[in-house]
Amino acid sequence: MEKEALYQLSQSLQKWVLEAAAYTRSQIKQPLEITTKSGPNDLVTNVDRANQVFLAAKIKGDYPQAILVGEEGTDAVPDDWESGLAFFIDPIDGTMNFVKQNENFAIMIGVYDHGQPTLGIIYDVMADQLYWGGPQLGVFRDEVPLLLTDNPPLTKGLITVNTKMLVADDLNLQRVFMHSSGVRIYGSAGIVFGQLLKGNLCAYISKLAPWDIAAGRVLAESLGFQVLKFNGQPISMTTKEGMVVAPAHAMNEILAIMQQK
Amino acid sequence: MEKEALYQLSQSLQKWVLEAAAYTRSQIKQPLEITTKSGPNDLVTNVDRANQVFLAAKIKGDYPQAILVGEEGTDAVPDDWESGLAFFIDPIDGTMNFVKQNENFAIMIGVYDHGQPTLGIIYDVMADQLYWGGPQLGVFRDEVPLLLTDNPPLTKGLITVNTKMLVADDLNLQRVFMHSSGVRIYGSAGIVFGQLLKGNLCAYISKLAPWDIAAGRVLAESLGFQVLKFNGQPISMTTKEGMVVAPAHAMNEILAIMQQK
């Protein structure tokens, strides 16, 4: 994709995300229609669904050929997602926080051009912080360019881990925790990616669906983070799977600990 | 203490805390002198120490009879702390976050008059949110009065737990987690109390030193939260000990699970 067209796409997506966020804020003190999906702590609200419909319509209006993948829309990633311009939409990431905290949630869109990470948008709605960019445009928080300034060993980094995996000690995650500076848990992939991009965290270990990871992967890789499966292989982008996001030094240490007997 | 005198004390403490915070912000991009205390993840910096000295001097200037207890000062709580007006100072709560994240830390002062919770001040320095008040004054975030609007069952509440206790499954904490809406971990008692007071979390389970709990206890109890030891007894305020902060419904459920075999 030409840089000019990419910049235009980025501007359009930012505008639509901010419009969805304004709607979201307007609904926060209204009664929400809350239903559960896979279990009692997997929530969806009428606002998630309205944002999905709104963002999908805006994208399809300007990019009729777009392939759409959304948490509250086409759940399955289509087989031909690498055949063109694919948009992964998470209309509210951190719905539990949205419902219980009225903050600490994000709206995210990740764009992949023929399977290649191209553009990421993460908007922390209540903190009003917009992370955007990609490998061609660079990465920004609002208008501030971000750089990965640190490649710390695990002992010098704060990490985020999936709580259930930590409790079950899956793949020695408790050992990973004991080797780190400590664990922080925020309850939203978008909020975690914001912390990673700002340098507040050094690693993120969890099981994530394609729409949870799509935008953050573009931004994190553009800054020099690696995003790998627990076995060190590339992630698939087609299914929920375990993955680690970290700069090289901590990544190597984490994968080594996870593969210990 | 008369309400007028109490209000004056509150105003003075807020002013000094904001002055310490301004100094803290000015030092954030300067090289910090970081040393460890009990272990590699128990940090203290020159800014913690400077804030302690500053706040202690201000308090002693206006209240020469004050009994001072501080994280970076007189670590031990004096035997006669209930003989007058005692000030528990935490000059930077969440020093690891201060160092690694440059945000998500707090300055806290808790005031106890003859052992009675009297006044609490918690300032989230980088978010610029000031929680203050007590049983006589009411509880405020900046100028907004706070009310405890919810007394949810554990299944409907987000909780914060001590990570090491969760990993070790001390007192069935993993069972407590599985019964909740989920775990959030922020790395600072002051930040956690802000979330509790706003209604973003329903319970806090950890081992806390007197200066970690002093301000938050005043504010939380004033809103109707309970603060109890793991065995349901009152906390001592004289030593680091395990405690639960929660409204009555979740408190009863948590203590019951912790006491299961």
Side-chain angles (χ1 to χ4, degrees):
Chain A
M1 209 171 176
E2 296 290 331
K3 192 163 175 181
E4 185 52 43
L6 194 56
Y7 187 74
Q8 183 53 52
L9 171 57
S10 168
Q11 292 292 102
S12 297
L13 290 178
Q14 289 181 43
K15 179 169 172 284
W16 300 331
V17 165
L18 291 175
E19 286 175 31
Y23 170 75
T24 305
R25 276 191 289 265
S26 78
Q27 295 302 301
I28 238 169
K29 295 295 175 200
Q30 305 299 320
L32 293 170
E33 293 162 29
I34 303 168
T35 49
T36 58
K37 295 189 291 182
S38 63
N41 294 333
D42 186 12
L43 307 182
V44 61
T45 75
N46 54 306
V47 181
D48 299 67
R49 292 204 182 91
N51 284 353
Q52 176 77 33
V53 169
F54 172 81
L55 292 169
K58 288 292 187 184
I59 292 167
K60 277 287 190 185
D62 277 20
Y63 300 87
Q65 308 303 319
I67 300 156
L68 295 185
V69 188
E71 181 170 13
E72 312 310 343
T74 327
D75 262 28
V77 180
D79 289 338
D80 66 347
W81 77 277
E82 293 177 297
S83 67
L85 205 58
F87 294 74
F88 294 76
I89 301 170
D90 197 334
I92 291 186
D93 174 72
T95 302
M96 179 65 82
N97 286 353
F98 172 60
V99 170
K100 301 275 185 199
Q101 305 194 324
N102 296 171
E103 58 183 332
N104 304 319
F105 61 89
I107 299 174
M108 310 198 287
I109 302 178
V111 183
Y112 287 67
D113 189 5
H114 290 85
Q116 296 306 305
T118 300
L119 194 60
I121 311 271
I122 298 176
Y123 185 53
D124 178 339
V125 174
M126 302 310 285
D128 186 24
Q129 295 194 333
L130 183 73
Y131 301 87
W132 63 278
Q136 291 170 265
L137 297 178
V139 178
F140 299 81
R141 191 192 72 205
D142 303 314
E143 298 311 315
V144 181
L146 297 176
L147 294 170
L148 181 63
T149 54
D150 211 7
N151 183 11
L154 181 56
T155 51
K156 297 290 183 193
L158 293 168
I159 66 174
T160 280
V161 298
N162 175 293
T163 314
K164 283 186 186 171
M165 291 183 63
L166 179 69
V167 162
D169 197 22
D170 283 349
L171 292 158
N172 306 311
L173 266 194
Q174 296 186 359
R175 210 177 300 166
V176 173
F177 153 60
M178 295 303 287
H179 277 78
S180 75
S181 290
V183 162
R184 303 288 180 265
I185 296 178
Y186 300 109
S188 152
I191 299 301
V192 171
F193 272 108
Q195 301 281 317
L196 285 163
L197 299 169
K198 282 195 280 190
N200 284 8
L201 295 173
C202 111
Y204 183 20
I205 306 171
S206 194
K207 291 178 183 167
L208 298 170
W211 44 85
D212 294 323
I213 187 69
R217 178 193 168 192
V218 177
L219 298 168
E221 286 185 349
S222 299
L223 283 189
F225 286 85
Q226 300 177 349
V227 181
L228 297 171
K229 291 204 285 192
F230 294 154
N231 62 6
Q233 296 295 308
I235 63 170
S236 73
M237 299 299 299
T238 58
T239 186
K240 185 169 185 173
E241 62 192 344
M243 59 188 78
V244 182
V245 182
H249 193 152
M251 175 66 80
N252 291 339
E253 293 178 288
I254 290 166
L255 293 183
I257 294 172
M258 292 178 93
Q259 279 144 33
Q260 287 169 4
K261 293 298 164 198
Chain B
M1 208 171 175
E2 296 290 331
K3 193 164 175 182
E4 186 52 41
L6 193 56
Y7 187 75
Q8 183 54 51
L9 170 59
S10 168
Q11 292 292 101
S12 297
L13 290 178
Q14 290 182 43
K15 179 168 172 284
W16 300 331
V17 164
L18 292 175
E19 286 175 30
Y23 170 75
T24 304
R25 276 192 288 266
S26 78
Q27 295 301 300
I28 238 169
K29 296 296 175 198
Q30 306 298 321
L32 293 171
E33 294 163 29
I34 304 168
T35 49
T36 58
K37 296 189 289 183
S38 64
N41 294 333
D42 185 13
L43 308 182
V44 61
T45 75
N46 54 305
V47 181
D48 299 66
R49 292 203 181 91
N51 284 353
Q52 176 78 33
V53 169
F54 171 80
L55 292 169
K58 288 291 187 185
I59 293 167
K60 276 288 189 184
D62 277 20
Y63 300 87
Q65 309 302 321
I67 299 156
L68 296 185
V69 187
E71 181 170 12
E72 313 309 343
T74 326
D75 263 27
V77 179
D79 289 339
D80 67 347
W81 77 278
E82 293 176 297
S83 67
L85 205 58
F87 294 73
F88 293 76
I89 301 171
D90 197 334
I92 293 186
D93 174 71
T95 303
M96 179 65 83
N97 286 355
F98 172 59
V99 170
K100 301 275 186 201
Q101 306 194 322
N102 296 170
E103 59 184 332
N104 304 319
F105 60 90
I107 299 174
M108 309 197 290
I109 301 177
V111 183
Y112 287 67
D113 188 6
H114 290 84
Q116 294 308 303
T118 299
L119 193 59
I121 311 270
I122 298 176
Y123 185 53
D124 178 340
V125 174
M126 303 309 285
D128 186 24
Q129 294 195 333
L130 183 73
Y131 301 86
W132 63 278
Q136 290 171 265
L137 296 179
V139 178
F140 298 82
R141 190 191 73 205
D142 303 315
E143 298 311 316
V144 181
L146 297 177
L147 294 170
L148 181 64
T149 54
D150 212 5
N151 183 12
L154 180 57
T155 52
K156 296 290 183 193
L158 293 168
I159 65 173
T160 281
V161 297
N162 176 293
T163 314
K164 283 186 186 172
M165 290 182 63
L166 180 69
V167 162
D169 197 22
D170 283 349
L171 293 157
N172 306 313
L173 265 193
Q174 297 185 359
R175 211 177 300 167
V176 173
F177 154 61
M178 296 303 288
H179 277 78
S180 75
S181 289
V183 162
R184 302 289 179 264
I185 296 178
Y186 300 109
S188 153
I191 299 300
V192 171
F193 272 108
Q195 301 282 317
L196 285 164
L197 299 170
K198 281 195 281 190
N200 285 7
L201 295 173
C202 110
Y204 183 20
I205 306 171
S206 195
K207 292 178 184 168
L208 298 169
W211 44 85
D212 294 323
I213 188 70
R217 178 192 169 193
V218 176
L219 298 169
E221 287 185 349
S222 300
L223 282 189
F225 286 86
Q226 299 178 347
V227 181
L228 297 171
K229 292 205 284 190
F230 295 154
N231 63 6
Q233 295 296 308
I235 63 171
S236 75
M237 298 299 298
T238 58
T239 186
K240 185 169 183 171
E241 63 192 343
M243 60 188 77
V244 181
V245 182
H249 193 151
M251 175 66 80
N252 291 340
E253 293 178 288
I254 290 167
L255 294 183
I257 294 172
M258 292 178 94
Q259 279 145 32
Q260 287 168 4
K261 293 298 163 199

